[in-house]
Amino acid sequence: MTPAEEAAEATIAAAELLVALADPGVPEHLVAKVRAAAATAAGTAGASGACSAPGGAVFFEAPLAAIKSLCMILAAAKDRLPEMRYKAFAGKSRLLMPADVEVAVGCGLPRVQMDVIIALCDHPLPAAAAATDGSTATNGYAIVVSVALSCGTNVVRGASYCVTPGDAATASMVQASVSDVVLDPAAPSVWAMTPKHTPENPSKEEPWLWCLSRGRSRAEKEPPFAYAGDLRPFPIMTPRNPLHLRTVPADVSRPDYAETADPVSETRSKLQQITATYSPGEVETLRRCCRVARGALDAVVRAVRPGVTTEELDKICHAYITAHGGYPSPLNYYNFPKACCTSVNEVICHGIPDARPLRDGDIVNIDVTAYIYGYHGDLNETVLVGGGCDDKTKHLLMTAYKCLQKGIEQVRPGSRYRDIGEEVTKLATRRQCSVVKSYCGHGIGTLFHCAPNIPHYAKNKAVGAMKEGHVFTIEPMINAGDWRDVTWPDGWTAVTKDGKWSAQYEHTMVVTADGVEVLTCRTDTSPNVFPWTEAESAP
């Protein structure tokens, strides 16, 4: 089943479950119990055990197979007592309030979709609402179902219910109104992303160890290092298999370094000195590859919220790319141990996903590359975590984004590669930021990294001019302080030497006859997480 087919099936399964929950036993034996559990957890239970808040929706999240099984179980258990029919369901549900919607479904989703779920969470539960037309008073409730897909994203649907109480002669009636608005793709909830095993509570199959020697070794103790900033590395999840890496399905095509960690085809290729010119047919295949990479980045970005570990974000990236038939390019590239790079705060690039939970006010750069159809597609974005970032941090992010846009503006046949760095540096300097010199943009296509070399700083010595069919990345790394960097003991994580924060944005692009086409451009479903408008972000 393809991810699109699975999402379509999940949309139907969620609706079927919501319809099945139009049952007179739900208010007392599901809704009331979920509210009582929420009140107990919050320490606000009254004498009746009811939650003091006037609204809320029952929120239930499970994989597609579990949702389908639950539908069958409810259908087969119609003759059982309601308290037995919904006992297990209630224990796995929670009360969702309007303030927690982003926690439940992800960040950056379209406002119209979020408003639908928020409206359901504002539904009064289970207080009676007096009818204005003189008819019998009704009770109402609302339920939101989130279906987890194998590609790391979720499908979310909700419904409101109208309960007409019965009397001595008639049974109660429940009418369901399933919303036509489907959140697809959404993110797993923060609750679902809570790790089952942590460095404090490890499993034998997946211990947490410190990464050393560019991923070639692990240690049980943190190595000493003179850290300039506040951030510290955490242990990484290390599967007990020969490669100590998360597994990739057997039918996925792999680059040559997937087993050996040595990209021989890359290091020996003439494309390290000569820039490849891709044909229109090859560029079309690259577009398809880059769409998968874009989808993976979007899936990870939606899941960025306070409390989520970067290890959990890596799981989503890995699941999305492999479910679409691709290989996460960073995985085992020169022993890099994860599917993507997650660079937090003062980390410039190549941060390794680990056990540290993101905090409100952090920034995190997600760098994703997918290998599929024989090509690599590479992009990244820096994301604000929660709502606690200050104006200085937003200024840094906007500067990095403007620098990327300024670099892209230089791309056309005949332009010199060295001129990108000149323009990027002018803009960064004008905005009181600096440009990292140790890392640069690069050619990409059949190889992960190749010619041309694209420095982002001024007075560089990059050679060559752009031609139609050239494919490469532009990815300026912008620091709030000094441009210099140092590397942590893991051998990968590059951080600012002065401990100040760094931000970056990246696209893969192709030179066209009249300019440039950004192959990893944002789509209609890309999460809206930038704290600025398009007009504000113009270079």
Side-chain angles (χ1 to χ4, degrees):
M1 186 187 305
T2 67
E5 291 169 340
E6 187 182 21
E9 195 167 315
T11 300
I12 296 171
E16 290 176 346
L17 178 57
L18 290 167
V19 170
L21 292 171
D23 182 273
V26 167
E28 179 181 358
H29 300 289
L30 175 57
V31 176
K33 291 186 182 300
V34 169
R35 289 177 62 79
T40 300
T44 58
S48 63
C51 183
S52 60
V58 172
F59 179 77
F60 181 76
E61 182 175 14
L64 175 58
I67 296 290
K68 294 167 71 174
S69 296
L70 186 56
C71 288
M72 291 188 290
I73 291 170
L74 290 176
K78 281 187 175 181
D79 295 333
R80 299 186 67 184
L81 293 173
E83 58 264 34
M84 300 302 297
R85 191 158 65 242
Y86 298 113
K87 183 177 181 180
F89 194 107
K92 296 181 180 179
S93 301
R94 65 173 58 240
L95 188 65
L96 181 62
M97 303 303 292
D100 295 327
V101 169
E102 188 171 286
V103 174
V105 303
C107 63
L109 275 70
R111 189 70 252 174
V112 64
Q113 295 183 359
M114 296 291 282
D115 286 345
V116 168
I117 304 301
I118 291 171
L120 289 172
C121 295
D122 275 333
H123 202 288
L125 293 176
T132 59
D133 60 359
S135 60
T136 306
T138 61
N139 290 330
Y141 60 96
I143 297 177
V144 176
V145 172
S146 182
V147 187
L149 308 182
S150 59
C151 66
T153 64
N154 284 38
V155 171
V156 179
R157 296 196 76 170
S160 59
Y161 300 81
C162 178
V163 182
T164 304
D167 54 28
T170 60
S172 298
M173 300 289 291
V174 180
Q175 183 177 357
S177 178
V178 179
S179 174
D180 292 332
V181 175
V182 180
L183 281 66
D184 175 28
S189 71
V190 172
W191 309 302
M193 296 178 71
T194 302
K196 294 181 180 178
H197 300 287
T198 64
E200 296 76 26
N201 180 34
S203 69
K204 293 182 179 180
E205 295 75 22
E206 296 180 345
W208 295 81
L209 301 171
W210 302 94
C211 181
L212 298 175
S213 305
R214 288 182 64 83
R216 291 189 295 271
S217 64
R218 304 286 189 273
E220 294 185 357
K221 294 183 178 181
E222 179 182 2
F225 186 74
Y227 296 97
D230 296 330
L231 192 70
R232 298 292 182 271
F234 275 54
I236 68 170
M237 190 277 290
T238 307
R240 288 198 183 280
N241 57 42
L243 294 176
H244 301 299
L245 304 172
R246 188 168 283 118
T247 57
V248 175
D251 60 345
V252 166
S253 180
R254 293 158 163 76
D256 61 347
Y257 55 82
E259 303 293 332
T260 65
D262 185 9
V264 175
S265 61
E266 184 174 294
T267 56
R268 296 180 180 177
S269 175
K270 66 180 181 180
L271 296 181
Q272 296 303 330
Q273 289 77 40
I274 302 172
T275 301
T277 301
Y278 289 96
S279 68
E282 291 170 324
V283 171
E284 176 56 32
T285 305
L286 265 164
R287 284 192 194 97
R288 295 169 57 210
C289 166
C290 288
R291 280 196 290 269
V292 174
R294 163 52 69 182
L297 177 64
D298 288 348
V300 176
V301 167
R302 287 187 204 96
V304 172
R305 289 151 295 179
V308 172
T309 68
T310 50
E311 167 63 24
E312 293 298 310
L313 297 178
D314 184 75
K315 285 182 181 179
I316 292 177
C317 179
H318 188 102
Y320 189 97
I321 294 175
T322 57
H324 284 79
Y327 182 91
S329 301
L331 190 65
N332 214 28
Y333 181 76
Y334 290 112
N335 297 109
F336 190 82
K338 297 294 178 178
C340 65
C341 300
T342 53
S343 302
V344 179
N345 299 346
E346 65 261 33
V347 179
I348 297 170
C349 61
H350 304 158
I352 301 174
D354 60 22
R356 179 187 181 272
L358 294 171
R359 301 170 184 171
D360 186 47
D362 283 346
I363 60 173
V364 57
N365 177 271
I366 313 295
D367 196 337
V368 169
T369 312
Y371 176 75
I372 187 171
Y373 315 126
Y375 292 86
H376 299 267
D378 189 4
L379 75 163
N380 74 54
E381 290 178 357
T382 302
V383 185
L384 300 170
V385 181
C389 290
D390 56 26
D391 290 341
K392 185 177 180 181
T393 300
K394 293 177 182 178
H395 175 84
L396 171 65
L397 267 63
M398 186 182 287
T399 300
Y401 188 78
K402 285 175 177 283
C403 285
L404 170 63
Q405 300 303 106
K406 178 60 73 174
I408 293 174
E409 283 184 357
Q410 314 313 309
V411 180
R412 65 183 68 87
S415 291
R416 299 185 304 175
Y417 284 109
R418 68 177 62 181
D419 292 340
I420 292 174
E422 298 292 337
E423 296 302 320
V424 167
T425 300
K426 288 178 185 177
L427 195 155
T429 302
R430 189 168 69 245
R431 292 177 61 85
Q432 291 80 50
C433 293
S434 64
V435 181
V436 173
K437 298 182 180 181
S438 301
Y439 302 94
C440 59
H442 54 88
I444 191 169
T446 55
L447 301 176
F448 193 176
H449 297 91
C450 56
N453 189 51
I454 305 173
H456 304 107
Y457 55 90
K459 300 180 181 179
N460 66 78
K461 293 180 172 57
V463 299
M466 302 172 198
K467 296 180 180 180
E468 182 179 358
H470 284 189
V471 177
F472 50 87
T473 72
I474 296 178
E475 46 186 300
M477 290 151 245
I478 307 301
N479 292 352
D482 188 77
W483 61 267
R484 293 172 179 81
D485 64 277
V486 294
T487 304
W488 278 358
D490 59 37
W492 278 107
T493 305
V495 300
T496 59
K497 189 173 182 179
D498 58 11
K500 294 185 179 180
W501 288 12
S502 182
Q504 178 191 18
Y505 296 86
E506 174 189 18
H507 276 308
T508 294
M509 62 205 71
V510 58
V511 182
T512 63
D514 57 356
V516 59
E517 177 187 347
V518 176
L519 299 175
T520 50
C521 61
R522 294 172 64 82
T523 70
D524 291 341
T525 61
S526 293
N528 182 21
V529 293
F530 295 163
W532 55 74
T533 64
E534 282 299 316
E536 290 173 331
S537 65

